[in-house]
Amino acid sequence: MPFQKNDIILFQGDSITDCGRNYADASSLGVGYALMAGARLGLQYAEQNLTFLNRGISGNRAVDLQERWERDCLALKPTWVSIYIGVNDTWRRYDSGQETTAAEFESSYRDLIERTKQHLDAKLVLVEPFVLPVPEDRKGWRQDLDPKIHVVRELAREYGAVLVPLDGLFAAASVKAEPAFWAGDGVHPSPAGHALIAEAWMKAVGAIR
């Protein structure tokens, strides 16, 4: 039983987490992995009265999470904090020349974790970013994204957080079906891609086998 009664599970991140949520509705989970995981876990652990919150915002980088962490995380007093960030820290380098070094990314991410641990008694779930080689130029992103993926893995190890190893899982899934089946632009998951994330998240926290 990974969850306690009345647990509040917060999903934080960028557009992959946001996934069309209604900002005017504080309980909106969007239509992606946060909704899929929340629906499945709500059914499976109905007696635990779990609350699921989504505060992902499209386009966000790690520094953007820092700026809104008090309002969109700490003030909500979640007992689980899931952080899924990083691909925009790479993307902005290639579409607008705004580079975020691995060291800068680590500093921002570490600040999120430290502030969370200082103010909340919450379990941490770190979801590593991924990219698939569609279109062709995404292959060149690996040089920038791979060090950031390693940052997430190292922080998970250092802080004893749950790690959701998406990059390897999407690479393995792309053996079963072409990469575009899972994410048409190499970044934003298809419904099947979101289902992959939801399942990986639930397995990582010990909710399903």
Side-chain angles (χ1 to χ4, degrees):
M1 175 68 74
F3 302 108
Q4 303 297 315
K5 195 171 184 62
N6 301 318
D7 267 350
I8 299 172
I9 297 95
L10 171 66
F11 296 101
Q12 260 291 2
D14 52 34
S15 59
I16 300 172
T17 301
D18 180 336
C19 204
R21 71 180 178 89
N22 178 1
Y23 290 11
D25 178 1
S27 64
S28 174
L29 294 177
V31 296
Y33 80 89
L35 175 66
M36 294 178 182
R40 169 73 183 274
L41 296 175
L43 171 64
Q44 184 169 332
Y45 298 101
E47 72 283 0
Q48 297 301 101
N49 190 39
L50 304 178
T51 297
F52 298 91
L53 301 174
N54 183 346
R55 292 297 183 271
I57 293 183
S58 182
N60 268 194
R61 298 171 294 162
V63 292
D64 299 307
L65 293 191
Q66 279 183 282
E67 291 175 1
R68 61 187 184 85
W69 206 242
E70 173 63 38
R71 178 186 73 249
D72 287 345
C73 177
L74 304 182
L76 302 174
K77 301 193 182 308
T79 52
W80 287 77
V81 176
S82 176
I83 305 173
Y84 184 3
I85 202 72
V87 74
N88 287 322
D89 292 85
T90 287
W91 202 335
R92 293 294 84 79
R93 171 182 175 181
Y94 295 101
D95 71 358
S96 59
Q98 296 179 325
E99 181 179 3
T100 301
T101 67
E104 291 169 337
F105 179 70
E106 179 180 353
S107 177
S108 295
Y109 213 129
R110 185 180 296 277
D111 178 61
L112 298 175
I113 294 172
E114 288 286 351
R115 288 161 66 189
T116 301
K117 291 180 72 67
Q118 180 179 353
H119 294 283
L120 301 173
D121 181 19
K123 295 181 180 179
L124 287 168
V125 182
L126 308 189
V127 185
E128 68 181 33
F130 76 92
V131 68
L132 292 175
V134 285
E136 189 73 16
D137 70 333
R138 300 293 192 257
K139 292 180 179 179
W141 289 20
R142 304 256 31 142
Q143 178 185 10
D144 189 273
L145 187 64
D146 282 355
K148 294 179 173 66
I149 292 171
H150 288 295
V151 164
V152 177
R153 293 172 180 172
E154 289 297 323
L155 288 173
R157 181 180 297 111
E158 179 180 344
Y159 287 97
V162 174
L163 176 70
V164 185
L166 285 191
D167 193 55
L169 292 175
F170 270 96
S174 294
V175 175
K176 300 178 183 178
E178 63 181 1
F181 174 80
W182 303 105
D185 64 356
V187 173
H188 294 98
S190 64
H194 275 285
L196 187 159
I197 297 172
E199 181 177 88
W201 194 97
M202 290 185 289
K203 284 182 177 179
V205 303
I208 64 172
R209 294 184 178 180

